[in-house]
Every structure is written in C-alpha cells, then in structure tokens.
Amino acid sequence: MTTEKGSLVCVGTGLNLAGQISILSKSYIEYADVVFSLVPDGFAQHWLESLNQDVRSLQPYYAREGEVKSRRDTYEQMVAAILEQVRLGKKVVCALYGHPGVFACVSHFAIARARGEGYQAQMEPGISAEACLWADVGIDPGASGHQSFEASQFMFYKHTPDPTTHLLLWQIGIAGEHTLTEFHTSSDRLQVLVEQLNEWYPLEHEIVLYEAPNLPTQTPRIERIALKQLPFAQLSAITTLLIPPSRELEFNHEVLAKLGITAEELG
C-alpha cells in the first residue's frame, strides 16, 4: 500500500454558478494542488480558475466534432488523468456540475480506484438538479412520494412506475440511446417511450420539461405539455422529464385495520 500523501475529493459546484457550492467544497478547491473540472460552460470554468491556479478541464476528453467515441472510453481517460495526479502525491479535487455523485460516474470510478490503491478519497455533496426542480416547480415530494429513473434504463428494463407518485426521468434528451456515442435522441425513440408510459398515464396527461438555470440571470425552464407531445418537444442534455401523479393515493385498509386507524382519521 502506498504511503504517499496524494488524495482525492470530488465536490459538487451546484447548478447555479458560484451560489450553490458549499463553503467546504469551495475550500477544497482553493487549497487543492490540482483541480479537474467538468462544468457546463466557460463562465463556470473561469470562476473555478479564479479560485485555483491549476484548473484542468475534463471536457477535451469528449469526442470532437465528427469523431465517434464511446463515453466509456471518455470516462476511463478522465479517471486515468485524475489518478495520475493523485499518484504523484498531489491533493486533487474533481469539481463536477451539480451533485458529484448523481449521474456522474467519473467521480464514483475515480474514488473507488483511488481507495483501491490506498489513497484517501471522498465525496462532498452538491445541490442537484432534483433539489432545484422541487424548489422551482413548487413540489414537496414527501406529499405523495416520488420515483426516479434514468430515461434509457427505464425503457430498457421492466421498471413499474407508481402513477400515484411523481415520476422523474433523467437524461430524457438521450432516451433510448444505447451505443454511448450519441448525445441526442429521436422522435421515434420518444414515441416508443410515450407508448410505454401510456400503460400508466393517459396520452393527455400533463407532463413537465424542466431545466435548471446555470446562471443567476437565467430562469428555469418549466414547460407543461401533454404526454403525447413529447416526441415533438425540444430537448437538451439537461432536460429532465417530470410526470405528476395520474391517480389519487389509495388507502391500504388492511394495514390501517392492524394499526387501529380509519381512513377518515387520515383525512
């Protein structure tokens, strides 16, 4: 096992530039020897560079225009770059957009590999798109519960949504894409998803397309459309699909009886 002082901390920058990062995560960035970044735009990158003199963007590892490259290869190269600096004995920080552990496999891979090699590695939470969604749309997920799936995984496997709760489908902009080489979906794939969802939700059921703002000057995208209109909607890499409940919660009378509670008592 190595005795070098190299370490890794993966932090989340939040969704909104500079305003949603924790004090602790910001401190890790400021005192790091090397900071790797994966953020959505140049504004966020420049802000990170104002905190530390050695900030290295991971964006160049993605496929260039016209190049076909699996995201698996991209992620492996990112992890290799991060671990190279850890092995050199550096205090390394990886700053990721939103929450560093939510739809961000690079952080999980890098931490697991670093720990496996005997280095100290940890993750600090950040404000996620889901946290922003509840605030912006004005929903308390505790009222009826919620379920959450990556859109393609929902399509590929036999998940069964509960139509009495809120359903979140992440990365709807690449729904049905399985090659890991494309960053967009198609109306045909989305139509397949609509037909799948129609088992639990009417075609006229109102759904919400949500995008959290990146800058303080922006406003969130909260677009309400009918489920049947999804194949024709404009989607981006950060679009999340929210499907509100289509049915009322149902009392579990058997359990209530065992507890000595009546439905009337619960209002």
Side-chain angles (χ1 to χ4, degrees), residues 149-179:
F149 303 97
E150 196 276 334
S152 293
Q153 186 197 77
F154 180 84
M155 297 175 73
F156 298 159
Y157 297 90
K158 289 188 175 182
H159 289 297
T160 303
D162 180 353
T164 68
T165 70
H166 293 278
L167 174 64
L168 295 178
L169 293 183
W170 301 97
Q171 299 184 323
I172 192 68
I174 54 172
E177 205 289 304
H178 72 286
T179 67

Tab-separated table of all heavy atoms in Angstrom, residues 149-179:
chain	number	residue	atom	x	y	z
A	149	PHE	N	-35.760	7.538	-12.362
A	149	PHE	CA	-35.051	6.602	-13.229
A	149	PHE	C	-34.300	7.370	-14.312
A	149	PHE	O	-34.757	8.429	-14.758
A	149	PHE	CB	-36.014	5.636	-13.933
A	149	PHE	CG	-36.879	4.830	-13.016
A	149	PHE	CD1	-38.173	5.232	-12.721
A	149	PHE	CD2	-36.407	3.655	-12.446
A	149	PHE	CE1	-38.977	4.496	-11.874
A	149	PHE	CE2	-37.210	2.902	-11.601
A	149	PHE	CZ	-38.501	3.321	-11.312
A	150	GLU	N	-33.190	6.831	-14.751
A	150	GLU	CA	-32.561	7.316	-15.971
A	150	GLU	C	-33.449	6.871	-17.123
A	150	GLU	O	-33.925	5.732	-17.153
A	150	GLU	CB	-31.154	6.728	-16.090
A	150	GLU	CG	-30.257	7.442	-17.084
A	150	GLU	CD	-30.463	6.969	-18.512
A	150	GLU	OE1	-30.889	5.817	-18.698
A	150	GLU	OE2	-30.195	7.756	-19.438
A	151	ALA	N	-33.716	7.761	-18.068
A	151	ALA	CA	-34.743	7.508	-19.085
A	151	ALA	C	-34.477	6.240	-19.902
A	151	ALA	O	-35.384	5.435	-20.129
A	151	ALA	CB	-34.868	8.716	-20.013
A	152	SER	N	-33.246	6.065	-20.364
A	152	SER	CA	-32.951	4.882	-21.169
A	152	SER	C	-33.063	3.607	-20.351
A	152	SER	O	-33.582	2.592	-20.824
A	152	SER	CB	-31.545	4.995	-21.777
A	152	SER	OG	-31.488	6.043	-22.725
A	153	GLN	N	-32.595	3.650	-19.115
A	153	GLN	CA	-32.721	2.470	-18.264
A	153	GLN	C	-34.190	2.117	-18.045
A	153	GLN	O	-34.576	0.951	-18.050
A	153	GLN	CB	-32.044	2.695	-16.914
A	153	GLN	CG	-32.018	1.442	-16.040
A	153	GLN	CD	-31.741	1.751	-14.594
A	153	GLN	OE1	-32.621	2.210	-13.866
A	153	GLN	NE2	-30.508	1.508	-14.169
A	154	PHE	N	-35.017	3.137	-17.868
A	154	PHE	CA	-36.452	2.905	-17.704
A	154	PHE	C	-37.021	2.185	-18.921
A	154	PHE	O	-37.874	1.298	-18.796
A	154	PHE	CB	-37.170	4.243	-17.496
A	154	PHE	CG	-38.657	4.105	-17.322
A	154	PHE	CD1	-39.201	3.810	-16.077
A	154	PHE	CD2	-39.524	4.273	-18.403
A	154	PHE	CE1	-40.579	3.671	-15.918
A	154	PHE	CE2	-40.890	4.141	-18.248
A	154	PHE	CZ	-41.422	3.842	-17.004
A	155	MET	N	-36.533	2.549	-20.102
A	155	MET	CA	-37.029	1.936	-21.331
A	155	MET	C	-36.510	0.513	-21.517
A	155	MET	O	-37.230	-0.363	-22.001
A	155	MET	CB	-36.634	2.796	-22.536
A	155	MET	CG	-37.236	4.188	-22.541
A	155	MET	SD	-36.615	5.215	-23.898
A	155	MET	CE	-37.462	4.463	-25.307
A	156	PHE	N	-35.267	0.289	-21.133
A	156	PHE	CA	-34.618	-0.988	-21.430
A	156	PHE	C	-35.006	-2.104	-20.462
A	156	PHE	O	-34.906	-3.283	-20.797
A	156	PHE	CB	-33.099	-0.835	-21.404
A	156	PHE	CG	-32.543	0.127	-22.429
A	156	PHE	CD1	-31.287	0.696	-22.257
A	156	PHE	CD2	-33.266	0.454	-23.567
A	156	PHE	CE1	-30.769	1.572	-23.201
A	156	PHE	CE2	-32.756	1.329	-24.511
A	156	PHE	CZ	-31.504	1.890	-24.323
A	157	TYR	N	-35.426	-1.734	-19.245
A	157	TYR	CA	-35.714	-2.729	-18.225
A	157	TYR	C	-37.173	-2.639	-17.765
A	157	TYR	O	-37.850	-1.653	-18.028
A	157	TYR	CB	-34.768	-2.553	-17.026
A	157	TYR	CG	-33.322	-2.766	-17.399
A	157	TYR	CD1	-32.529	-1.693	-17.821
A	157	TYR	CD2	-32.750	-4.030	-17.359
A	157	TYR	CE1	-31.198	-1.885	-18.177
A	157	TYR	CE2	-31.425	-4.235	-17.710
A	157	TYR	CZ	-30.654	-3.155	-18.121
A	157	TYR	OH	-29.348	-3.341	-18.483
A	158	LYS	N	-37.618	-3.649	-17.075
A	158	LYS	CA	-39.028	-3.726	-16.684
A	158	LYS	C	-39.278	-2.987	-15.368
A	158	LYS	O	-39.601	-3.592	-14.346
A	158	LYS	CB	-39.468	-5.189	-16.577
A	158	LYS	CG	-39.584	-5.889	-17.919
A	158	LYS	CD	-40.210	-7.277	-17.767
A	158	LYS	CE	-40.438	-7.933	-19.123
A	158	LYS	NZ	-41.080	-9.266	-18.984
A	159	HIS	N	-39.129	-1.690	-15.402
A	159	HIS	CA	-39.498	-0.871	-14.257
A	159	HIS	C	-41.013	-0.660	-14.271
A	159	HIS	O	-41.624	-0.536	-15.337
A	159	HIS	CB	-38.793	0.485	-14.318
A	159	HIS	CG	-37.327	0.412	-14.058
A	159	HIS	ND1	-36.798	-0.017	-12.855
A	159	HIS	CD2	-36.261	0.718	-14.845
A	159	HIS	CE1	-35.478	0.028	-12.907
A	159	HIS	NE2	-35.125	0.475	-14.102
A	160	THR	N	-41.588	-0.597	-13.093
A	160	THR	CA	-43.024	-0.359	-12.985
A	160	THR	C	-43.266	0.906	-12.174
A	160	THR	O	-43.077	0.905	-10.953
A	160	THR	CB	-43.739	-1.547	-12.303
A	160	THR	OG1	-43.479	-2.741	-13.044
A	160	THR	CG2	-45.241	-1.309	-12.240
A	161	PRO	N	-43.641	1.994	-12.813
A	161	PRO	CA	-43.864	3.235	-12.068
A	161	PRO	C	-45.156	3.184	-11.259
A	161	PRO	O	-46.080	2.433	-11.591
A	161	PRO	CB	-43.960	4.294	-13.170
A	161	PRO	CG	-44.476	3.544	-14.352
A	161	PRO	CD	-43.863	2.173	-14.266
A	162	ASP	N	-45.196	3.955	-10.209
A	162	ASP	CA	-46.395	4.104	-9.384
A	162	ASP	C	-47.084	5.396	-9.809
A	162	ASP	O	-46.576	6.484	-9.528
A	162	ASP	CB	-45.994	4.166	-7.911
A	162	ASP	CG	-47.194	4.330	-6.982
A	162	ASP	OD1	-48.322	4.519	-7.487
A	162	ASP	OD2	-46.978	4.288	-5.758
A	163	PRO	N	-48.209	5.329	-10.497
A	163	PRO	CA	-48.856	6.543	-11.003
A	163	PRO	C	-49.486	7.425	-9.925
A	163	PRO	O	-50.031	8.475	-10.237
A	163	PRO	CB	-49.922	5.999	-11.957
A	163	PRO	CG	-50.208	4.626	-11.468
A	163	PRO	CD	-48.924	4.113	-10.909
A	164	THR	N	-49.391	7.007	-8.646
A	164	THR	CA	-49.875	7.871	-7.565
A	164	THR	C	-48.755	8.762	-7.024
A	164	THR	O	-48.985	9.563	-6.124
A	164	THR	CB	-50.458	7.036	-6.409
A	164	THR	OG1	-49.410	6.306	-5.761
A	164	THR	CG2	-51.524	6.069	-6.919
A	165	THR	N	-47.549	8.621	-7.563
A	165	THR	CA	-46.413	9.439	-7.124
A	165	THR	C	-45.851	10.222	-8.311
A	165	THR	O	-46.221	9.996	-9.461
A	165	THR	CB	-45.285	8.566	-6.552
A	165	THR	OG1	-44.674	7.826	-7.625
A	165	THR	CG2	-45.808	7.587	-5.510
A	166	HIS	N	-44.944	11.129	-8.019
A	166	HIS	CA	-44.243	11.843	-9.083
A	166	HIS	C	-43.174	10.929	-9.681
A	166	HIS	O	-42.479	10.221	-8.958
A	166	HIS	CB	-43.574	13.106	-8.537
A	166	HIS	CG	-44.549	14.153	-8.090
A	166	HIS	ND1	-45.156	15.023	-8.962
A	166	HIS	CD2	-45.035	14.453	-6.863
A	166	HIS	CE1	-45.961	15.833	-8.294
A	166	HIS	NE2	-45.909	15.500	-7.021
A	167	LEU	N	-43.057	10.964	-10.994
A	167	LEU	CA	-42.047	10.166	-11.698
A	167	LEU	C	-41.059	11.100	-12.376
A	167	LEU	O	-41.453	11.993	-13.127
A	167	LEU	CB	-42.714	9.269	-12.737
A	167	LEU	CG	-41.771	8.482	-13.664
A	167	LEU	CD1	-40.929	7.493	-12.871
A	167	LEU	CD2	-42.577	7.765	-14.753
A	168	LEU	N	-39.770	10.900	-12.112
A	168	LEU	CA	-38.718	11.674	-12.765
A	168	LEU	C	-37.961	10.768	-13.720
A	168	LEU	O	-37.532	9.678	-13.341
A	168	LEU	CB	-37.741	12.246	-11.739
A	168	LEU	CG	-38.273	13.275	-10.744
A	168	LEU	CD1	-37.172	13.686	-9.773
A	168	LEU	CD2	-38.810	14.491	-11.462
A	169	LEU	N	-37.794	11.220	-14.966
A	169	LEU	CA	-36.974	10.517	-15.942
A	169	LEU	C	-35.824	11.438	-16.337
A	169	LEU	O	-36.040	12.485	-16.950
A	169	LEU	CB	-37.802	10.111	-17.168
A	169	LEU	CG	-38.882	9.049	-16.920
A	169	LEU	CD1	-39.582	8.681	-18.223
A	169	LEU	CD2	-38.300	7.794	-16.276
A	170	TRP	N	-34.618	11.025	-15.969
A	170	TRP	CA	-33.434	11.844	-16.205
A	170	TRP	C	-32.846	11.575	-17.582
A	170	TRP	O	-33.016	10.517	-18.150
A	170	TRP	CB	-32.383	11.547	-15.130
A	170	TRP	CG	-32.883	11.828	-13.755
A	170	TRP	CD1	-33.414	10.939	-12.863
A	170	TRP	CD2	-32.955	13.111	-13.122
A	170	TRP	NE1	-33.797	11.575	-11.718
A	170	TRP	CE2	-33.527	12.909	-11.845
A	170	TRP	CE3	-32.586	14.399	-13.508
A	170	TRP	CZ2	-33.728	13.956	-10.944
A	170	TRP	CZ3	-32.791	15.441	-12.622
A	170	TRP	CH2	-33.359	15.217	-11.358
A	171	GLN	N	-32.121	12.549	-18.089
A	171	GLN	CA	-31.433	12.454	-19.383
A	171	GLN	C	-32.411	12.051	-20.487
A	171	GLN	O	-32.097	11.224	-21.343
A	171	GLN	CB	-30.258	11.465	-19.284
A	171	GLN	CG	-29.213	11.906	-18.270
A	171	GLN	CD	-27.998	11.007	-18.203
A	171	GLN	OE1	-28.101	9.790	-18.320
A	171	GLN	NE2	-26.833	11.603	-17.996
A	172	ILE	N	-33.551	12.703	-20.474
A	172	ILE	CA	-34.572	12.413	-21.487
A	172	ILE	C	-34.082	12.785	-22.885
A	172	ILE	O	-34.553	12.244	-23.893
A	172	ILE	CB	-35.884	13.169	-21.130
A	172	ILE	CG1	-37.055	12.672	-21.967
A	172	ILE	CG2	-35.710	14.673	-21.255
A	172	ILE	CD1	-37.481	11.269	-21.676
A	173	GLY	N	-33.090	13.671	-22.954
A	173	GLY	CA	-32.544	14.090	-24.238
A	173	GLY	C	-31.780	13.015	-24.972
A	173	GLY	O	-31.494	13.165	-26.166
A	174	ILE	N	-31.440	11.917	-24.271
A	174	ILE	CA	-30.774	10.785	-24.941
A	174	ILE	C	-31.554	9.491	-24.694
A	174	ILE	O	-30.984	8.395	-24.731
A	174	ILE	CB	-29.303	10.618	-24.497
A	174	ILE	CG1	-29.191	10.510	-22.979
A	174	ILE	CG2	-28.448	11.755	-25.030
A	174	ILE	CD1	-27.784	10.158	-22.499
A	175	ALA	N	-32.852	9.618	-24.450
A	175	ALA	CA	-33.687	8.449	-24.162
A	175	ALA	C	-33.607	7.423	-25.295
A	175	ALA	O	-33.766	7.759	-26.463
A	175	ALA	CB	-35.141	8.873	-23.950
A	176	GLY	N	-33.332	6.174	-24.947
A	176	GLY	CA	-33.274	5.097	-25.929
A	176	GLY	C	-31.932	4.950	-26.618
A	176	GLY	O	-31.761	4.036	-27.432
A	177	GLU	N	-30.959	5.798	-26.288
A	177	GLU	CA	-29.631	5.729	-26.916
A	177	GLU	C	-28.780	4.719	-26.136
A	177	GLU	O	-28.564	4.875	-24.947
A	177	GLU	CB	-28.967	7.106	-26.880
A	177	GLU	CG	-27.930	7.336	-27.964
A	177	GLU	CD	-26.653	6.533	-27.763
A	177	GLU	OE1	-26.027	6.663	-26.689
A	177	GLU	OE2	-26.301	5.756	-28.671
A	178	HIS	N	-28.284	3.685	-26.815
A	178	HIS	CA	-27.578	2.612	-26.126
A	178	HIS	C	-26.111	2.470	-26.527
A	178	HIS	O	-25.371	1.721	-25.898
A	178	HIS	CB	-28.273	1.268	-26.398
A	178	HIS	CG	-28.080	0.769	-27.802
A	178	HIS	ND1	-28.730	1.327	-28.878
A	178	HIS	CD2	-27.287	-0.217	-28.309
A	178	HIS	CE1	-28.363	0.695	-29.988
A	178	HIS	NE2	-27.485	-0.240	-29.667
A	179	THR	N	-25.668	3.182	-27.553
A	179	THR	CA	-24.306	2.992	-28.061
A	179	THR	C	-23.264	3.753	-27.253
A	179	THR	O	-22.060	3.492	-27.387
A	179	THR	CB	-24.207	3.446	-29.527
A	179	THR	OG1	-24.395	4.868	-29.601
A	179	THR	CG2	-25.273	2.745	-30.383
